[in-house]
Amino acid sequence: MATYDSIGTTYADTRRPDPRVSARIHQALGGAATVINVGAGTGSYEPPETVLAVEPSAVMIAQRPAESARTLEASAESIPLADDSADAVMALLTVHHWSDLEAGIGELRRIARQRIVIFTFDPDINHSFWLLDEYLPEAAEFDDTRAVAVDRLVTLLGGARTETVPIPYDCTDGFLAAFWRRPEAYLDPQVRAGISMFAQISDDVIQPGLARLSDDLSSGRWHQHHADLLDQEALDVGYRLLVADL
């Protein structure tokens, strides 16, 4: 929660839901008539069927639109709701922040009647992303301490299908790898302020790698090295949807 109390002040500006990602999430929810969003943040990707949002950070809750679903200030590990409270439960880019993953997944399974949808990232693929691999390997090492293997999530869910979510080059949601074809974005402090990994790593670790990126952009080395990315419309940078039917 402390992480999102710090980055949450600009979150609504830099983390605007992307309609193409939204379509994939809503499709994964199927025909659920009622949805609970756990780790809901500012309300990105909540479908009209959302009846409740569960979020521990007051800073994030304060940025939710006035017309959004009612919010319960609580953590994923202990949700004060009855069993089978909604048809579906979703948890989007949140499980790697939970202090007790097993307890959190147990709570999702308890309050969902029919389906659980988790949007997460495969650390093996995500950490080979050029930003981390070439410029910020120390950050990737830090991220390894909190990243959750997809296979582990599938096991905890009692089985789930896994869907790849390619990220469009002009994605409007500024999560870590969203700017894979727009490298200059990572030099913008406001963009970095909305990415939790940057919020948790000191500038002493980050700045040397960003300086190298800036130099490579100025010289054209980045564009030469990554010419294969420049005409791609979307890329698999590790983001995954897990869909578990109960």
Side-chain angles (χ1 to χ4, degrees):
M1 184 176 70
T3 298
Y4 281 94
D5 282 345
S6 63
I7 74 171
T9 55
T10 61
Y11 204 77
D13 295 327
T14 60
R15 298 295 298 270
R16 292 173 289 115
D18 186 275
R20 294 150 294 188
V21 175
S22 181
R24 292 294 304 274
I25 292 169
H26 294 176
Q27 181 182 33
L29 287 167
T34 55
V35 177
I36 293 174
N37 186 12
V38 176
T42 59
S44 293
Y45 304 110
E46 288 180 2
E49 295 80 12
T50 305
V51 294
L52 184 68
V54 178
E55 168 57 43
S57 169
V59 172
M60 302 294 278
I61 291 171
Q63 294 184 77
R64 292 174 59 83
E67 68 276 10
S68 62
R70 180 173 67 88
T71 307
L72 176 65
E73 189 171 341
S75 68
E77 295 87 347
S78 181
I79 303 174
L81 294 174
D83 296 357
D84 301 326
S85 287
D87 289 343
V89 175
M90 66 181 198
L92 312 180
L93 295 179
T94 180
V95 296
H96 55 288
H97 292 297
W98 296 357
S99 60
D100 187 334
L101 182 67
E102 288 81 2
I105 297 299
E107 286 290 80
L108 301 191
R109 297 185 66 176
R110 184 181 65 79
I111 67 173
R113 279 192 293 271
Q114 299 172 1
R115 178 168 288 190
I116 297 170
V117 174
I118 294 177
F119 184 40
T120 185
F121 60 90
D122 183 331
D124 291 337
I125 298 173
N126 195 252
H127 293 172
S128 65
F129 171 48
W130 62 259
L131 177 69
L132 301 181
D133 185 46
E134 299 171 27
Y135 297 98
L136 300 174
E138 301 88 352
E141 289 178 9
F142 165 79
D143 217 41
D144 279 336
T145 65
R146 62 180 191 140
V148 181
V150 169
D151 287 349
R152 184 183 178 199
L153 284 171
V154 170
T155 298
L156 290 173
L157 288 166
R161 74 173 185 268
T162 303
E163 302 178 3
T164 297
V165 182
I167 303 304
Y169 78 95
D170 56 351
C171 182
T172 60
D173 191 347
F175 43 73
L176 176 62
F179 305 98
W180 58 267
R181 212 181 92 175
R182 295 170 287 167
E184 63 284 345
Y186 295 110
L187 304 180
D188 183 342
Q190 185 172 7
V191 168
R192 296 198 304 274
I195 298 173
S196 64
M197 187 193 72
F198 287 109
Q200 297 179 79
I201 301 176
S202 71
D203 276 353
D204 290 344
V205 174
I206 295 295
Q207 288 304 324
L210 294 179
R212 291 196 303 274
L213 174 59
S214 179
D215 289 344
D216 285 355
L217 290 173
S218 297
S219 69
R221 281 191 296 269
W222 186 93
H223 291 81
Q224 182 179 14
H225 190 198
H226 295 288
D228 60 314
L229 297 180
L230 300 180
D231 59 355
Q232 294 194 45
E233 297 293 313
L235 187 70
D236 177 11
V237 279
Y239 292 95
R240 300 289 184 264
L241 273 171
L242 276 61
V243 183
D245 290 318
L246 305 176

